[in-house]
Amino acid sequence: MGTGSSILGADGEWGETSLGDMPESCVAAVLLNLNPPEICQVACLNRAFRGAASADCVWAGKLPANYRYLVALAAAADDEGGGDGDGNVKPCSLISTKKEIYARLCRPTLFDAGTKEFCIEKNKGGLCMSISSKAMAITGIDDRRYWSHLVTEESRFHSVAYLQQIWWLEVGGELDFCFPAGSYSLFFRLHLGRAHKRMGRRVCDTELIHGWDARPTRFHLSTSDEQQATSEYYLDGPGSWILYHVGDFVISNSDELISLKYSMMQIDCTHTKGGLCVDSVVIYPKGYRREKMNTVYM
């Protein structure tokens, strides 16, 4: 079928109609069933689709239920210069439509002194979050014999905590946040070895990697509403960033502040361990998959 069809006019003559003749309200009803990238694609068809694709009634259902809370955080970040620096997208103070709100929330927003970041996933509007190692409590982090902070382009926070050698490994953190209702998965993003550039090529120093095959590293997650999860892994895969799945949690009320506690420990003091980069904790909607993401599950 084509985009045009024949109709019999009042004067008895056959005429042509097309998608452009559809009422905008009918087009909007169709767009409700599409995801945001598809809505933006069909907006190029004609004026009716372009108008419907910008309607608040279409985008209201795509936004997270607590989008006003997220917009308030984004607005504070914009005022402090904590957005992603993209001058092509309006700051919150100039936003007037729900489509523009969706576009703004798809951009990363830094908060808590730049140690945490959130955005919504553009296809389905699910919340994604990253928490820098600088927002975590790390045993011995101030002792240069054990730890150092490395500047790197391989972290979205441009810095990772690098462990040279230690007997007692303990890393933990807390987060208070209003998540949109749904199920989420929490991961630690880790890397064995110290990566750097040599003559323009990425290389990884592995000589300090030791101790991770002697005992598994234990990961733990708990929430203020008594959800808990525990997992254990032998850290492996030198030279690659790996997401180690800690566990899942469920949010039932989008307007309720929930507290998360997360940790990783390897406290068997019969041996030392070292050569580990700790980048961040990441939280994704459960089942979400990113391209080129090495993920390990129990």
Side-chain angles (χ1 to χ4, degrees):
M1 295 178 63
T3 58
S5 60
S6 297
I7 59 172
L8 186 63
D11 56 0
E13 296 294 328
W14 289 98
E16 288 289 326
T17 187
S18 67
L19 287 175
D21 297 315
M22 290 180 63
E24 196 170 293
S25 58
C26 294
V27 176
V30 174
L31 300 189
L32 289 173
N33 299 298
L34 303 182
N35 63 39
E38 291 171 337
I39 293 173
C40 293
Q41 290 173 1
V42 300
C44 301
L45 289 176
N46 54 50
R47 182 179 299 176
F49 275 79
R50 185 162 55 253
S54 298
D56 279 354
C57 63
V58 171
W59 289 94
K62 311 301 179 184
L63 287 166
N66 65 341
Y67 75 89
R68 291 181 178 85
Y69 168 81
L70 302 177
V71 168
L73 289 175
D78 288 345
D79 292 341
E80 297 172 4
D84 66 355
D86 186 356
N88 295 322
V89 182
K90 290 183 180 180
C92 287
S93 59
L94 300 179
I95 284 175
S96 60
T97 69
K98 288 186 167 58
K99 179 182 178 181
E100 292 174 332
I101 292 175
Y102 194 94
R104 174 59 188 88
L105 293 181
C106 284
R107 292 168 51 202
T109 295
L110 291 168
F111 66 104
D112 197 5
T115 61
K116 301 180 179 72
E117 179 187 272
F118 78 86
C119 65
I120 61 173
E121 189 270 319
K122 66 179 181 180
N123 289 312
K124 296 183 179 180
L127 184 80
C128 302
M129 183 174 293
S130 297
I131 304 168
S132 169
S133 59
K134 289 188 175 181
M136 304 180 205
I138 302 177
T139 301
I141 188 64
D142 296 323
D143 193 326
R144 295 297 298 272
R145 294 175 299 172
Y146 306 129
W147 291 90
S148 60
H149 289 288
L150 303 181
V151 176
T152 174
E153 296 178 355
E154 297 186 4
S155 167
R156 65 192 316 110
F157 299 101
H158 308 293
S159 175
V160 299
Y162 179 65
L163 173 63
Q164 299 170 89
Q165 179 173 288
I166 205 167
W167 292 90
W168 181 291
L169 173 73
E170 188 170 6
V171 179
E174 298 184 23
L175 171 70
D176 296 328
F177 201 81
C178 287
F179 287 86
S183 298
Y184 296 86
S185 297
L186 185 143
F187 305 83
F188 269 84
R189 186 174 187 258
L190 308 175
H191 182 286
L192 287 180
R194 180 172 179 170
H196 60 93
K197 292 290 184 67
R198 180 181 298 163
M199 299 182 67
R201 297 183 62 184
R202 184 185 190 270
V203 295
C204 183
D205 294 335
T206 60
E207 57 268 19
L208 291 183
I209 300 174
H210 68 283
W212 305 109
D213 55 351
R215 292 287 189 276
T217 299
R218 182 181 179 88
F219 299 84
H220 185 72
L221 164 67
S222 64
T223 70
S224 53
D225 59 356
E226 301 184 348
Q227 300 179 65
Q228 297 201 37
T230 301
S231 57
E232 292 186 346
Y233 303 98
Y234 287 93
L235 304 189
D236 201 359
S240 298
W241 286 103
I242 297 177
L243 295 182
Y244 289 90
H245 179 235
V246 180
D248 302 329
F249 61 96
V250 178
I251 301 297
S252 56
N253 186 350
S254 300
D255 298 319
E256 181 178 345
L257 188 72
I258 191 166
S259 296
L260 301 179
K261 293 184 178 180
Y262 43 86
S263 64
M264 61 175 290
M265 302 175 68
Q266 221 283 29
I267 56 177
D268 183 346
C269 292
T270 61
H271 66 284
T272 62
K273 63 281 296 180
L276 174 70
C277 288
V278 179
D279 174 38
S280 58
V281 160
V282 296
I283 301 171
Y284 294 128
K286 185 176 181 181
Y288 175 65
R289 294 289 185 273
R290 293 189 61 181
E291 295 181 6
K292 300 180 181 180
M293 184 170 65
N294 297 318
T295 309
V296 178
Y297 292 88
M298 284 286 287

